[in-house]
Amino acid sequence: MATLIAHDEFNVYESAEARFEVAARRVGLEEGLYRFMRYPNKEITVYIPVMLDSGHLEVFTGFRVHHSIVRGPCKGGIRFAPDVTLDEVRALASWMTWKCAVVNIPFGGAKGGVICDPSKLSAGEMERITRRYTAELSDWIGPERDVPAPDLGTNEQTMAWVMDTYSMHLRHTVTGVVTGKPIDLGGSLGRHEATGRGLQIVCDKAVEKLGLRRETARVIVQGFGNVGSSATWLLHQAGYKIVGVADVHGALYNENGIDVPRLLDWVTVQGRSLPELPDGGLRLSSQQILFQPCEILVPAAVENQITSENAHRLQTRILCEGANGPCTAMADEIVDKKGIFVIPDILANAGGVTVSYFEWVQDRQGYFWREHEVNERLKDVMEHSFDEVVRYAETNEVSNRIAAYILAIARVASALKLRGIYA
Ligand code: NAD
């Protein structure tokens, strides 16, 4: 197989391109289609004037990238973080295209971001940034155009403000403009923990495939936000032994198993610092936790955690990617050579966008499903997609990651050929 080359290992756009390149060549994509799919459909930069609580007028920079509308409206989160770049948003938008195609839901990919630090902003400032960002983008988003969702630094409340702002501009309530909304505003039951539930479903499949047992499978989760905390809880409930957890403040490792209900209460109810859980285990750094012995490692925090410099230190059987891009393209070969069974991000964390799709369907129907219906449909999609990716990888002797990319690229290419090029 061709080696993955990224000139700047930590540029996530280059990492995304490197995988696309290998998969596109392997699938024999025609040159014209290759060029079409490589570049985003549209990139929008907005400058967001916001009056801060201090009375100071600040201008924030925001982006929205539409990577593809070939298979349907584009779909992707909005990230509020101080280090957001256009390259990062581009990469995340293209991953959304491939992710939606891997699980075969009728969306293209998009992503948005605003350069700001939510930890330093009041609720009022967050609301004003969100509303002005939405107003600036109101010609480009909508249930048939582009449907945002939460990502790092944004949440259900942010989506409520996007929905309200968009609706005020249209003069009627449009719940389907965003997903990941509060339940009372047309959100879906099961959406909040959907990404974590999807991770648990594919871990179950991988454990079964490798002949492991849940009770003896040790799990480490890096990241304790929406994705990481839901995955930790659901994996614990399913009988796995959680031996390591981490957030931005540090990590805990406990080979006897971490007391997950006590940890969740400590962090999410009491608002205390994760590594300070009394008698929680050995305190390590958020990076060190990745290299402790386990059967399943779930990086569910940020990008570029596993690199060509450190991948040789991994001691896991299964790498289940909860975050987007936790492993750089240059680390892929090292991970594969170690025989680690990789469940790539565009498959592993697709539970979130799958239930977002269910939310969009329910909003458009005006008819809401019960939680067990949402969870059963999610299980069906995740299991089927896992089987397709692993079967393709085995039959064609490629990694699971490249198999996922190939399936996704082939689906987008097929839709593109059927539609043809307008004008
Ligand atoms: P979040 O903001 O709720 O949580 C992020 C967590 O990561 C926090 O616990 C934070 O402390 C921790 N963290 C940040 N930097 C860290 C570091 N350097 N080391 C260790 N921990 C660190 O975000 P989230 O929604 O849980 O998203 C996490 C990842 O999952 C992101 O890559 C996101 O793009 C991806 N993702 C999220 C969803 C979703 O539904 N929320 C869906 C698919 C993928």
Side-chain angles (χ1 to χ4, degrees), residues 58-368:
E58 188 56 86
V59 181
F60 295 89
T61 305
F63 309 107
R64 188 75 188 165
V65 173
H66 291 179
H67 178 259
S68 172
I69 50 166
V70 172
R71 284 168 44 89
C74 31
K75 184 93 195 75
I78 301 173
R79 175 172 287 199
F80 280 10
D83 51 357
V84 167
T85 63
L86 184 55
D87 259 0
E88 178 188 53
V89 177
R90 259 189 211 128
L92 291 159
S94 70
W95 277 328
M96 285 305 296
T97 301
W98 313 132
K99 193 182 298 185
C100 293
V102 168
V103 289
N104 217 350
I105 57 177
F107 288 129
K111 204 78 180 188
V114 177
I115 306 173
C116 66
D117 187 347
S119 69
K120 298 197 174 117
L121 295 165
S122 69
E125 290 165 339
M126 287 281 284
E127 177 172 353
R128 293 194 287 281
I129 293 175
T130 306
R131 287 190 183 278
R132 185 64 187 247
Y133 174 72
T134 307
E136 295 290 346
L137 290 175
S138 59
D139 285 342
W140 310 107
I141 60 174
E144 312 295 337
R145 291 184 177 168
D146 172 13
V147 187
D151 193 70
L152 284 174
T154 57
N155 56 26
E156 294 173 0
Q157 177 61 71
T158 326
M159 295 307 110
W161 291 327
V162 175
M163 191 281 262
D164 182 67
T165 308
Y166 183 81
S167 299
M168 289 297 120
H169 278 249
L170 265 72
R171 298 271 178 257
H172 65 273
T173 297
V174 187
T175 55
V177 63
V178 280
T179 59
K181 296 180 293 295
I183 303 292
D184 289 343
L185 292 181
S188 175
L189 293 169
R191 171 62 185 92
H192 184 77
E193 54 285 341
T195 309
R197 189 175 297 282
L199 291 170
Q200 186 229 315
I201 295 166
V202 292
C203 282
D204 286 350
K205 291 287 289 179
V207 160
E208 186 190 330
K209 175 154 187 60
L210 300 183
L212 303 172
R213 286 183 30 240
R214 290 184 194 183
E215 311 75 61
T216 49
R218 296 164 297 173
V219 177
I220 294 176
V221 182
Q222 186 205 41
F224 209 68
N226 176 319
V227 179
S229 66
S230 302
T232 303
W233 172 244
L234 291 164
L235 287 163
H236 162 75
Q237 278 204 315
Y240 291 90
K241 190 173 174 186
I242 312 295
V243 295
V245 285
D247 71 2
V248 71
H249 305 294
L252 286 172
Y253 183 79
N254 187 337
E255 59 185 11
N256 297 319
I258 284 168
D259 184 343
V260 174
R262 199 162 65 84
L263 173 71
L264 272 165
D265 179 68
W266 178 257
V267 178
T268 55
V269 181
Q270 299 184 46
R272 312 290 286 269
S273 170
L274 178 148
E276 284 169 19
L277 177 74
D279 303 320
L282 182 66
R283 282 178 68 161
L284 299 173
S285 76
S286 316
Q287 266 276 311
Q288 283 171 319
I289 197 73
L290 298 169
F291 310 109
Q292 304 311 308
C294 60
E295 276 66 46
I296 304 178
L297 176 64
V298 185
V302 288
E303 296 101 22
N304 294 335
Q305 295 301 292
I306 299 161
T307 68
S308 59
E309 293 292 313
N310 65 26
H312 64 278
R313 291 169 53 205
L314 290 172
Q315 299 190 64
T316 185
R317 284 284 288 117
I318 297 168
L319 176 63
C320 180
E321 297 183 333
N324 288 307
C327 195
T328 68
M330 286 169 75
D332 281 353
E333 209 172 313
I334 304 167
V335 174
D336 290 341
K337 278 205 178 120
K338 284 175 76 78
I340 294 172
F341 186 89
V342 177
I343 315 175
D345 48 7
I346 58 171
L347 168 65
N349 70 34
V353 76
T354 301
V355 176
S356 274
Y357 164 53
F358 297 160
E359 181 175 330
W360 179 77
V361 169
Q362 292 170 76
D363 284 336
R364 284 155 55 107
Q365 284 182 327
Y367 180 73
F368 290 85

